[in-house]
Amino acid sequence: HGHNNVIGAVVLPHNVGLGATHNPELVERAGRVTAEEVASTGMHWAFAPCVAVSQNIRWGRSYESFGSDPEWVGQLGAAANRGLQSKLPGDFSLLACTKHFAGDGGTRDGIDQGETVGDEVVLQAIHLAPYAAAIRAGTKSIMVSYNSWNGQKMHGHKQLLTGVLKGELGFKGFLVSDWAAIDQL
């Protein structure tokens, strides 16, 4: 929601508020404003946007999601990526980091860092759709989630990280661990 830890920066609504607008152009402009302010502080990388598809209102991080509809989350996440990675003055651009791959918005009982359960149809239709849109929009980095998929921690899930994300979806960028999540393996 902007470069909110810097005094004087524009504080934008969280993704749930931006998602309620159903306005990709506005979300792209918000990404551009954030990119300008992040770049002005010398940073080259922003850990945004979050494209989790919120499936349980008890999930304590649901405000990070653009909503519960995978298509809208994908459209708005792609718009945020375009805004964050837009060309800035001085031939500068920011690196966006789409997060949290994958399924963090669908954990059982809404438990943060919990387990998401489902078959491949659920995975593709709900949790991967926004990543496909983000990849088409040019995201260059993706943050891996704390959650598990069907009992396996995402950070150790070679099939999803390499086979699906890099193979099937064609992601050519790099992955980054969420804060110390790799230590949960």
Side-chain angles (χ1 to χ4, degrees):
H1 54 291
H3 200 26
N4 65 311
N5 59 343
V6 174
I7 295 172
V10 175
V11 177
L12 299 159
H14 276 287
N15 285 352
V16 70
L18 291 172
T21 70
H22 286 226
N23 186 334
E25 292 80 22
L26 180 65
V27 172
E28 186 170 340
R29 281 188 10 225
R32 168 77 184 209
V33 166
T34 302
E36 290 171 354
E37 292 191 342
V38 169
S40 73
T41 60
M43 303 292 175
H44 299 273
W45 194 17
F47 291 150
C50 179
V51 295
V53 181
S54 184
Q55 297 293 291
N56 189 312
I57 60 172
R58 296 175 292 178
W59 181 44
R61 296 177 72 173
S62 60
Y63 64 90
E64 290 185 51
S65 173
F66 288 113
S68 61
D69 182 311
E71 183 179 336
W72 266 115
V73 172
Q75 287 184 36
L76 298 177
N81 268 290
R82 286 190 302 272
L84 285 163
Q85 294 187 158
S86 58
K87 186 177 176 189
L88 301 173
D91 204 28
F92 185 88
S93 64
L94 192 71
L95 181 67
C97 184
T98 305
K99 58 186 191 171
H100 304 96
F101 188 85
D104 56 330
T107 58
R108 187 179 306 171
D109 297 324
I111 296 170
D112 188 39
Q113 301 184 30
E115 179 181 22
T116 305
V117 177
D119 58 20
E120 191 171 327
V121 172
V122 170
L123 177 68
Q124 292 285 342
I126 296 174
H127 302 291
L128 295 184
Y131 288 94
I135 291 165
R136 286 190 302 272
T139 192
K140 303 288 190 266
S141 67
I142 292 178
M143 183 180 292
V144 182
S145 183
Y146 285 110
N147 68 284
S148 300
W149 180 264
N150 292 332
Q152 185 175 353
K153 282 291 191 183
M154 194 58 63
H155 277 73
H157 209 305
K158 184 177 180 181
Q159 176 196 1
L160 292 180
L161 296 178
T162 303
V164 173
L165 182 60
K166 292 189 173 234
E168 292 176 27
L169 296 179
F171 178 59
K172 303 290 185 219
F174 66 93
L175 300 174
V176 62
S177 173
D178 206 335
W179 184 260
I182 196 78
D183 295 336
Q184 294 181 3
L185 295 182

